[in-house]
Amino acid sequence: MKITIADVAKFANVSKSTVSRVLNKSGPVSQETKEVVLNAVNNLDYRPNQVARSLATKQTNTIGLIVPDIRNPYYSQACWHAERKFQQENYTVVICNTDNDDIREKTYLQVLLDRNIDGILSIGGEEDLTNIINFKSRKNIPIVLIDRDIQGYDIPSITLDNYYGGMLATEYLLELGHKNIAFATSDFTQAERLRRQGYKQALQNANIKIRKEYILSHTEEVWRSGEFLDDIIELFDSSNPPTAIFASNDFKALRILSVLKANGLTIPDDISLLGYDNIEFSSMTEPALTTLSQPIDKMISDGVNMLLKYINNEQVDSNKMIVKPKLIERDSTKVFR
């Protein structure tokens, strides 16, 4: 027999309206009464009718989580943190993987709208933010961006200083004595483009020529397959090969590591290698990967808290937060002599 709200009220010796106020947080109830009602809910194993509850509260307790490529360990880790944090606040998460496709992103935004989600957390993604801007301008649904920002629009975001990170990584390699530094990227995200800009600026500050052949740019699918990365090896057969490679994320760095090893090259003796993100696997490779760490767990936690405040119409101290990455020095880089 299905337990109803009337059964809970009878068990707790309170009115149905009191039970409703406790469950929906829709009115004042003493702490003592709240505990009695929740005890009755637990004892009877009562499960509220979510459709009726959403009609009463005008909330579905559902969050849309948009990511560009869940196969990337960085985004997998971000999703894990976000989902766990939302679950602690009694929210269900709908994960939408766009595969770096703006059409899929637009479709997912409409799907989330049709599901009456309470808010959206968008993590990373392409530099083209047209879908987010258009959606936000037409719909009054809270959106918070992680590691993606929209200049000139009042859309909340928590971003890593990727330009600074690109400079920091390149300056570190310069300090080790490297001058011929390649940069590996796919250039599909705003974060990657800013890291490339930081890389170029650091070289310019050191009066070092930026070489087009040192920019190793491929689509995400090419980096994932690893089948067409001949340009990495061809660089070593050139008259002026790089002595270090800075990859725009750890996934690409690990792909490069496997390609170099497969061609008989040793890291860091033949070439230094530096990544970005400090994903869990970066410390488990041989050699362990030097990388830049971004506090993804804190960024996600702050993003979730910010989104929930907007959903609950609470005061938000700042809707723009910027954090800086930290260099993690391991065994894949060495002094160049």
Side-chain angles (χ1 to χ4, degrees), residues 151-258:
Q151 298 294 328
Y153 292 87
D154 191 28
I155 298 179
S157 65
I158 298 177
T159 55
L160 190 75
D161 193 337
N162 287 293
Y163 178 80
Y164 165 82
M167 288 190 64
L168 178 64
T170 309
E171 288 170 350
Y172 166 74
L173 293 173
L174 290 168
E175 289 171 3
L176 292 180
H178 297 278
K179 294 183 179 179
N180 294 353
I181 303 171
F183 181 70
T185 184
S186 63
D187 268 358
F188 85 91
T189 66
Q190 185 182 72
E192 282 189 300
R193 288 187 175 92
L194 289 170
R195 292 167 194 176
R196 184 184 61 177
Q197 291 174 18
Y199 155 81
K200 288 184 173 181
Q201 188 61 57
L203 293 180
Q204 289 176 348
N205 292 346
N207 295 315
I208 295 176
K209 180 183 177 180
I210 298 170
R211 298 177 179 272
K212 290 184 179 179
E213 65 269 25
Y214 282 1
I215 308 295
L216 306 170
S217 183
H218 296 284
T219 66
E220 283 297 297
E221 291 308 313
V222 169
W223 282 112
R224 185 162 295 282
S225 70
E227 294 177 358
F228 306 104
L229 300 179
D230 295 338
D231 54 351
I232 297 174
I233 301 305
E234 288 173 359
L235 273 177
F236 286 93
D237 295 329
S238 68
S239 59
N240 201 21
T243 62
I245 298 178
F246 166 29
S248 62
N249 61 37
D250 285 349
F251 175 78
K252 295 180 181 64
L254 296 180
R255 173 61 73 195
I256 292 169
L257 181 65
S258 66

Side-chain angles (χ1 to χ4, degrees), residues 77-317:
Q77 183 180 353
C79 285
W80 184 84
H81 281 295
E83 187 172 28
R84 186 178 67 163
K85 180 71 174 176
F86 279 121
Q87 284 178 341
Q88 291 172 351
E89 301 296 332
N90 297 317
Y91 281 84
T92 299
V93 175
V94 178
I95 298 177
C96 304
N97 180 62
T98 69
D99 271 341
N100 309 306
D101 186 330
D102 61 343
I103 295 177
R104 289 190 67 175
E105 181 182 60
K106 184 177 181 180
T107 300
Y108 272 131
L109 286 169
Q110 184 60 50
V111 169
L112 294 173
L113 179 65
D114 293 342
R115 292 192 62 155
N116 295 319
I117 46 89
D118 297 331
I120 295 174
L121 190 69
S122 177
I123 306 174
E126 296 185 71
E127 191 167 27
D128 186 353
L129 292 149
T130 304
N131 288 332
I132 298 292
I133 293 171
N134 289 342
F135 182 84
K136 184 60 179 174
S137 65
R138 291 183 289 108
K139 308 299 177 183
N140 188 30
I141 296 176
I143 299 178
V144 172
L145 307 180
I146 302 290
D147 212 13
R148 197 181 188 193
D149 187 32
I150 302 179
Q151 298 294 328
Y153 292 87
D154 191 28
I155 298 179
S157 65
I158 298 177
T159 55
L160 190 75
D161 193 337
N162 287 293
Y163 178 80
Y164 165 82
M167 288 190 64
L168 178 64
T170 309
E171 288 170 350
Y172 166 74
L173 293 173
L174 290 168
E175 289 171 3
L176 292 180
H178 297 278
K179 294 183 179 179
N180 294 353
I181 303 171
F183 181 70
T185 184
S186 63
D187 268 358
F188 85 91
T189 66
Q190 185 182 72
E192 282 189 300
R193 288 187 175 92
L194 289 170
R195 292 167 194 176
R196 184 184 61 177
Q197 291 174 18
Y199 155 81
K200 288 184 173 181
Q201 188 61 57
L203 293 180
Q204 289 176 348
N205 292 346
N207 295 315
I208 295 176
K209 180 183 177 180
I210 298 170
R211 298 177 179 272
K212 290 184 179 179
E213 65 269 25
Y214 282 1
I215 308 295
L216 306 170
S217 183
H218 296 284
T219 66
E220 283 297 297
E221 291 308 313
V222 169
W223 282 112
R224 185 162 295 282
S225 70
E227 294 177 358
F228 306 104
L229 300 179
D230 295 338
D231 54 351
I232 297 174
I233 301 305
E234 288 173 359
L235 273 177
F236 286 93
D237 295 329
S238 68
S239 59
N240 201 21
T243 62
I245 298 178
F246 166 29
S248 62
N249 61 37
D250 285 349
F251 175 78
K252 295 180 181 64
L254 296 180
R255 173 61 73 195
I256 292 169
L257 181 65
S258 66
V259 170
L260 295 176
K261 282 186 173 183
N263 284 271
L265 295 167
T266 302
I267 297 91
D269 293 334
D270 293 324
I271 187 167
S272 287
L273 180 63
L274 187 149
Y276 203 116
D277 285 341
N278 194 33
I279 62 175
E280 185 177 1
F281 300 116
S282 65
S283 64
M284 302 177 185
T285 59
E286 180 56 45
L289 185 66
T290 297
T291 185
L292 267 71
S293 173
Q294 47 183 326
I296 186 60
D297 52 345
K298 186 178 188 308
M299 291 171 68
I300 292 296
S301 179
D302 289 344
V304 169
N305 290 336
M306 183 184 291
L307 182 60
L308 293 180
K309 284 185 177 181
Y310 279 110
I311 291 172
N312 295 318
N313 296 312
E314 298 176 8
Q315 181 69 35
V316 176
D317 296 332

